[in-house]
Amino acid sequence: MRNDQENIIVKLTFNFALDIIAFCEKLEEGKRYVIAKQLLKSGTSIGANTREAQNAESKLDFVHKFKIAAKEADETDYWLQLCKASDGYPDPGKLLEDVQAIIKVISKIISSSKK
């Protein structure tokens, strides 16, 4: 059953998804459609899977959902790194720091949930 107490990772990933949407809109303004589409999918999926984990059917299901979120976060980091390294792309700036922080929190949640 869902726990509606404030949840830091749910809030963190939701706010990150909002920032990703705004960044992808900048990418689309620059006609960087392919990267924008990939980044939008992976960047918003982190929060979706984190939120889905809150309704997990078991501890195993909870960990599985967070593992998916971790994969999406890693993919998001990749797309942001590409933007940073590519000429003519907007600088992802704080988004790179934010996704790294999210990766650390998710990794901690996974490791502590396995105990």
Side-chain angles (χ1 to χ4, degrees):
M1 185 162 277
R2 187 183 171 112
N3 181 353
D4 285 329
Q5 290 179 325
E6 185 174 37
N7 185 317
I8 189 86
I9 191 63
V10 170
K11 185 176 181 180
L12 193 63
T13 56
F14 184 83
N15 289 333
F16 181 74
L18 292 174
D19 292 340
I20 284 291
I21 291 167
F23 185 74
C24 288
E25 287 174 357
K26 285 183 192 175
L27 288 172
E28 288 182 351
E29 286 171 8
K31 299 186 185 332
R32 308 294 195 225
Y33 301 115
V34 174
I35 298 292
K37 185 176 180 178
Q38 293 291 335
L39 183 57
L40 184 64
K41 285 181 179 182
S42 66
T44 56
S45 182
I46 303 165
N49 282 290
T50 299
R51 180 88 177 254
E52 193 174 336
Q54 306 311 301
N55 296 308
E57 296 176 13
S58 66
K59 193 174 202 179
L60 192 63
D61 186 37
F62 179 82
V63 170
H64 176 69
K65 301 289 189 232
F66 268 105
K67 283 184 177 182
I68 294 169
K71 287 179 182 182
E72 295 293 340
D74 191 51
E75 181 181 341
T76 300
D77 181 66
Y78 175 78
W79 296 121
L80 291 171
Q81 293 287 350
L82 276 180
C83 289
K84 183 177 181 175
S86 297
D87 291 335
Y89 278 72
D91 184 6
K94 190 172 178 316
L95 287 172
L96 277 168
E97 295 172 27
D98 292 347
V99 77
Q100 286 298 318
I102 288 168
I103 289 169
K104 287 178 184 176
V105 172
I106 288 173
S107 294
K108 183 66 178 171
I109 290 168
I110 292 168
S111 66
S112 64
S113 295
K114 287 182 174 180
K115 294 178 183 176

